[in-house]
Amino acid sequence: MNIVIAGAGVAGVTAAEKAREVNPQAHITVFCQEKEALYYRPRLPDIVKGTLSVEKIFAHPDSWYQEKNIELRKGEALIEICAENNQVRGSLGSRLVYDSLLVATGAESSRPSPVNYDLPGVFTVRHLYDAMTLHYEAKRSKTAVMMGAGLLALEIGCALGAMGLSVHILERAGRILPRQTTPGSAKKLEKYLTEQGLVIHLNASITGTTGSDRLQRVETSDGQPIDTQILVVAAGVTPNLELAKHLDLKLDRGIVVDEYLETSKPGVYAAGDCAQTKDGAGGLWTIGRAEGLIAGHNLAVPRDQRKVYQAVPPSSSLKVAGLDLVAAGNLDPDNKLTGAEFENEKTYRKVVVDSEGLIVGYTNLGTTAGNRELAAALGKVKIKPEILTGLSQENFDFSLLK
Ligand SMILES: Cc1cc2nc3c(=O)[nH]c(=O)nc-3n(C[C@H](O)[C@H](O)[C@H](O)COP(=O)(O)OP(=O)(O)OC[C@H]3O[C@@H](n4cnc5c(N)ncnc54)[C@H](O)[C@@H]3O)c2cc1C
């Protein structure tokens, strides 16, 4: 059996490993457009900061792929697929026939229009090369501007702040981390980051970039331009869909897949940031890995032995300058559901339940107490009203969440 995988990120490599586990005989080929195979993308801010050496970011040495008998084609993109005769072509000329195919091509940083991306000093951070170049540029710069106040912008902003740069964060919305915070936790986090020296501009956007041979200034919607040597655009991601278009797969925000992670073409699967399950698009490492495990299994077994993908609740964590933030599931920012909140000077916690008492979301800021128990209870445990009341007390006993 020939299994072909496009993309050597967490979804593609996890799938290859799983496929090998369930089918020791299969021939498995992974096309890897980047020069480097799987590395821990979430650790790129540490490369920017200079606190992680490049060798430590890789998930596996090259010998691991050999030991698993996975043919890794580094530096070769899969560029053509012919569904009529199940053939694929790589950018370095390889031609292969597949029995099952996985599209795990991930995503690229979005590039909103008012910015001139050709100007040196303007960055997006998705690849190892981006993070290494940004680190080098930061060493000779004084100011950096972040476009966006999502997880990536805050982590990169804090990394640059730790290198001694003066950092401005511009966010179009009225609060930072609009997807991971409630108004309560956002305020606390804003106060904390401001105390760390970050300058936060809310309800503000970038309207242009100025500079002839390199970036000199960003123009802003509040009419107060900022002189800067660095602009990091962290405005979300756009799935890589070229291959999917080539195959004429059904697309929406990503490649539409069914409960087996199979696309609209039989035998062709999709996983990770490029895929869209019925629960929505991925965008997280944990989801890419969970989808990779199921896609890898399904690529390698007969159709009647395939497994159904069970959605993993979206969960993000942020650790900046010693402050922990975990957010998972539905945070109910508009307070339409029932919830319990606890807040003191340093910490903020919110737990949200549905009408049946099922825990559907939580956030924990400034503490890790209860993270493990809340993660285990999310989507699984129904709690009684008195337990919910207890969750709004400081010393709640999290072992009661069973
Ligand atoms: C700086 C940063 C920090 C992050 N932090 C977190 C975090 O804290 N927590 C979290 O859960 N998530 C985080 N994420 C998101 C997480 O890294 C992604 O969700 C995850 O990497 C997606 O994995 P993937 O395998 O789907 O795609 P990718 O990691 O994008 O890998 C896809 C690979 O396929 C390659 N490719 C594309 N087209 C082709 C082709 N035609 N042929 C061959 N190869 C191709 C791409 O070059 C890429 O190497 C972060 C991301 C970044 C950039």
Side-chain angles (χ1 to χ4, degrees), residues 22-52:
V22 296
N23 189 336
Q25 271 77 47
H27 188 253
I28 303 174
T29 308
V30 180
F31 284 87
C32 171
Q33 179 173 267
E34 292 186 71
K35 288 200 192 80
E36 307 88 5
L38 181 60
Y39 52 86
Y40 297 111
R41 252 180 240 290
R43 296 213 62 190
L44 288 180
D46 296 328
I47 297 281
V48 172
K49 197 168 159 188
T51 50
L52 180 72

Side-chain angles (χ1 to χ4, degrees), residues 144-183:
V145 173
M146 304 291 118
M147 179 175 179
L151 286 169
L152 177 61
L154 295 189
E155 292 208 342
I156 302 284
C158 285
L160 295 174
M163 290 179 75
L165 280 79
S166 144
V167 176
H168 294 258
I169 306 231
L170 272 86
E171 169 58 50
R172 225 174 16 188
R175 66 171 198 262
I176 61 169
L177 282 182
R179 283 165 53 198
Q180 286 87 6
T181 58
T182 62

Side-chain angles (χ1 to χ4, degrees), residues 34-252:
E34 292 186 71
K35 288 200 192 80
E36 307 88 5
L38 181 60
Y39 52 86
Y40 297 111
R41 252 180 240 290
R43 296 213 62 190
L44 288 180
D46 296 328
I47 297 281
V48 172
K49 197 168 159 188
T51 50
L52 180 72
S53 63
V54 170
E55 311 84 67
K56 296 228 166 94
I57 203 170
F58 294 105
H60 308 295
D62 282 359
S63 56
W64 181 87
Y65 297 91
Q66 285 155 16
E67 280 156 24
K68 299 266 169 202
N69 194 14
I70 293 169
E71 192 177 336
L72 177 68
R73 304 214 168 188
K74 271 207 239 178
E76 180 165 20
L78 203 162
I79 52 169
E80 205 176 296
I81 302 172
C82 178
E84 280 78 53
N85 53 12
N86 287 19
Q87 276 197 6
V88 299
R89 188 163 70 85
S91 55
L92 300 180
S94 341
R95 283 175 192 277
L96 294 172
V97 173
Y98 67 86
D99 297 295
S100 55
L101 172 74
L102 175 67
V103 182
T105 48
E108 286 298 331
S109 308
S110 300
R111 295 179 158 225
S113 56
V115 172
N116 176 359
Y117 292 90
D118 294 332
L119 269 185
V122 176
F123 288 86
T124 56
V125 181
R126 180 77 193 178
H127 303 282
L128 183 54
Y129 172 82
D130 303 328
M132 290 165 68
T133 322
L134 178 53
H135 173 73
Y136 174 77
E137 282 291 323
K139 285 209 283 195
R140 46 195 197 119
S141 301
K142 291 202 165 92
T143 305
V145 173
M146 304 291 118
M147 179 175 179
L151 286 169
L152 177 61
L154 295 189
E155 292 208 342
I156 302 284
C158 285
L160 295 174
M163 290 179 75
L165 280 79
S166 144
V167 176
H168 294 258
I169 306 231
L170 272 86
E171 169 58 50
R172 225 174 16 188
R175 66 171 198 262
I176 61 169
L177 282 182
R179 283 165 53 198
Q180 286 87 6
T181 58
T182 62
S185 58
K187 271 213 164 47
K188 236 182 193 18
L189 190 54
E190 276 156 30
K191 180 167 175 280
Y192 180 84
L193 294 174
T194 305
E195 284 164 4
Q196 304 295 308
L198 268 59
V199 185
I200 299 173
H201 309 246
L202 298 175
N203 302 304
S205 51
I206 290 175
T207 51
T209 41
T210 309
S212 46
D213 52 354
R214 61 162 300 121
L215 177 71
Q216 285 173 342
R217 199 168 62 227
V218 297
E219 315 296 336
T220 67
S221 58
D222 59 12
Q224 295 182 323
I226 303 169
D227 289 338
T228 186
Q229 298 81 48
I230 290 178
L231 167 63
V232 177
V233 177
V237 295
T238 308
N240 285 325
L241 300 177
E242 290 73 24
L243 271 185
K245 286 182 188 153
H246 213 105
L247 262 173
D248 205 18
L249 300 180
K250 184 171 173 206
L251 303 177
D252 184 19

